Amino acid sequence: MMIEVTSLLSSVSSVFYWTGTVVVVYFVGLLLYYVVYNTRLWMLGNPGAVGPHLGAWAVVTGATDGIGKVYAEELAKRGMKVVLISRSQEKLDQVAKEIRERSKVETKTIAVDFENKDTIYSDIKQGLEGLQIGVLVNNVGASYSYPEYFLEIPDLDKMINKLININSLSVCKMTQLVLPGMLERSKGVIINVSSIAGSQPQPFLTLYSASKVFVDFFSQSLNAEYKHKGIIVQSVKPYFVATKMSKIRKASIFHPNPEVFVKYALNTVGLASETAGYPPHAFVSWILNTLPTWLTTKLSVDGALKTRARYLQKMKKN
Ligand SMILES: NC(=O)c1ccc[n+]([C@@H]2O[C@H](COP(=O)([O-])OP(=O)(O)OC[C@H]3O[C@@H](n4cnc5c(N)ncnc54)[C@H](OP(=O)(O)O)[C@@H]3O)[C@@H](O)[C@H]2O)c1
């Protein structure tokens, strides 16, 4: 009887021993994987993935300010000719001139408003005719002026059309125009700028958040469809970047300026099909994905309501 108990205890402790060993090996392996993966992604990067070897031209939407302007500048620095697309011809001419002087590459501009879906895509098609396009950056985006209840958004009909046309439809239509040429040459990169708001629901920015989920899923699905044909489609999901849209004037580690953001983001192409684009943003994204949804939603609601109250108060005073 005594021998049977001893043998049972020994079997149980052996089970605990091996279970413990497997768990420790699993977590050490996971930790090592994360260290190697993140070192490769953020410190070494993949600077050779994007450049004129994909095709002479890069096309950037929303290219006269913020993140899009810096993508255009960086691609030009890598020797690509750039097509800049935004609304204002004056701003386009200015940015094109700066890029030509700094990087000695050809530029082309197309002035369109992505809010007007009915007329612009034939103009863009005409503007891109005959160009060998290696890179498309679908960056143009619009958001709310301030967080608001869905039904209380001023001129709601217009806002629904605006955010869907600029943020989501433009990504599909630009891809439809550019992807066939890339497929003919079996190479090309499409970078779609989504947002962390496409990973985490953003109450009071509901339309914006939903439009960015579309961009993210469109990109990831398209990447799976075409990666075996030499096309990379990347979804970039930043947290705050100091631009006009975010209204953040002073850059900081968690709110970088677009120059810092794009330098990191561009080097992740070919290594990550979806990315926060910048290490501190990847950290924020990891934290938000780890916390329970009820908590992240509550934090978003509280933050948005405070911002809304401040904005409405300011408007009352003016
Ligand atoms: N900034 C952030 O914190 C942040 C965070 C996450 C994601 N994002 C995403 O990053 C992208 C770029 O944002 P950003 O902050 O760099 O914006 P931004 O500084 O406001 O620049 C927007 C660019 O798009 C152009 N544009 C705006 N509306 C347009 C329209 N209807 N038709 C054509 N062009 C238009 C603007 O030029 P014109 O005014 O001359 O047309 C400008 O070149 C967006 O998709 C945004 O959703 C930004």
Side-chain angles (χ1 to χ4, degrees):
M1 180 67 180
M2 190 62 185
I3 291 172
E4 273 174 23
V5 171
T6 314
S7 137
L8 182 68
L9 283 176
S10 147
S11 306
V12 169
S13 71
S14 168
V15 167
F16 274 120
Y17 172 79
W18 284 111
T19 310
T21 306
V22 169
V23 170
V24 169
V25 168
Y26 174 77
F27 280 108
V28 169
L30 203 62
L31 186 69
L32 276 177
Y33 168 79
Y34 277 121
V35 169
V36 171
Y37 177 78
N38 283 302
T39 307
R40 171 89 173 92
L41 187 65
W42 301 121
M43 295 176 84
L44 303 175
N46 196 16
V50 180
H53 63 278
L54 296 166
W57 287 87
V59 177
V60 183
T61 67
T64 44
D65 246 314
I67 296 171
K69 181 176 178 215
V70 181
Y71 264 113
E73 289 168 348
E74 281 297 314
L75 292 165
K77 277 187 204 158
R78 291 180 180 206
M80 298 195 80
K81 303 171 183 179
V82 281
V83 183
L84 308 161
I85 311 183
S86 279
R87 277 174 303 193
S88 146
Q89 188 60 55
E90 203 184 329
K91 274 162 77 181
L92 282 165
D93 289 343
Q94 179 59 34
V95 174
K97 182 167 171 269
E98 283 168 23
I99 288 180
R100 278 197 309 274
E101 285 174 0
R102 195 175 312 138
S103 299
K104 313 284 177 247
V105 295
E106 238 180 275
T107 59
K108 212 175 148 91
T109 61
I110 304 176
V112 288
D113 185 341
F114 282 100
E115 203 174 333
N116 306 327
K117 68 175 169 42
D118 295 329
T119 51
I120 60 166
Y121 292 102
S122 54
D123 294 345
I124 297 177
K125 187 176 180 189
Q126 224 175 351
L128 300 182
E129 203 80 51
L131 305 183
Q132 207 177 64
I133 299 165
V135 178
L136 166 64
V137 184
N138 282 312
N139 160 80
V140 71
S143 186
Y144 294 30
S145 313
Y146 67 101
E148 185 52 284
Y149 288 92
F150 177 66
L151 289 180
E152 288 172 35
I153 293 171
D155 207 346
L156 180 56
D157 278 324
K158 189 172 188 303
M159 188 66 159
I160 292 173
N161 287 329
K162 177 177 169 179
L163 291 204
I164 291 177
N165 289 347
I166 298 177
N167 294 358
S168 305
L169 187 79
S170 70
V171 176
C172 307
K173 298 296 282 180
M174 289 303 299
T175 302
Q176 187 185 12
L177 289 178
V178 168
L179 184 56
M182 290 179 167
L183 283 171
E184 263 172 33
R185 289 176 289 111
S186 304
K187 54 188 175 185
V189 165
I190 300 177
I191 297 168
N192 293 331
V193 184
S194 172
S195 165
I196 199 166
S199 306
Q200 294 287 326
Q202 292 297 307
F204 301 93
L205 294 176
T206 297
L207 280 169
Y208 178 74
S209 184
S211 72
K212 291 297 185 178
V213 174
F214 180 94
V215 176
D216 184 35
F217 272 38
F218 180 82
S219 312
Q220 291 193 54
S221 304
L222 200 70
N223 186 56
E225 283 178 34
Y226 287 102
K227 69 179 171 191
H228 304 298
K229 298 189 174 179
I231 311 297
I232 294 173
V233 185
Q234 187 189 48
S235 175
V236 181
K237 299 186 274 186
Y239 181 55
F240 288 111
V241 178
T243 66
K244 267 190 195 153
M245 179 187 280
S246 65
K247 300 188 182 101
I248 295 172
R249 291 212 185 96
K250 199 169 171 304
S252 64
I253 181 143
F254 284 103
H255 305 155
N257 62 41
E259 285 76 12
V260 170
F261 177 82
V262 171
K263 254 192 190 132
Y264 276 102
L266 205 47
N267 279 344
T268 66
V269 175
L271 297 178
S273 59
E274 47 137 355
T275 174
Y278 166 69
H281 286 187
F283 178 69
V284 172
S285 178
W286 178 75
I287 296 273
L288 292 175
N289 287 326
T290 308
L291 291 173
T293 308
W294 67 263
L295 181 57
T296 52
T297 307
K298 182 178 173 352
L299 293 173
S300 298
V301 168
D302 293 350
L305 283 177
K306 274 188 199 142
T307 310
R308 176 178 181 271
R310 266 200 310 272
Y311 179 90
L312 294 177
Q313 189 66 33
K314 205 169 141 194
M315 287 296 108
K316 239 189 222 167
K317 277 187 197 156
N318 292 338

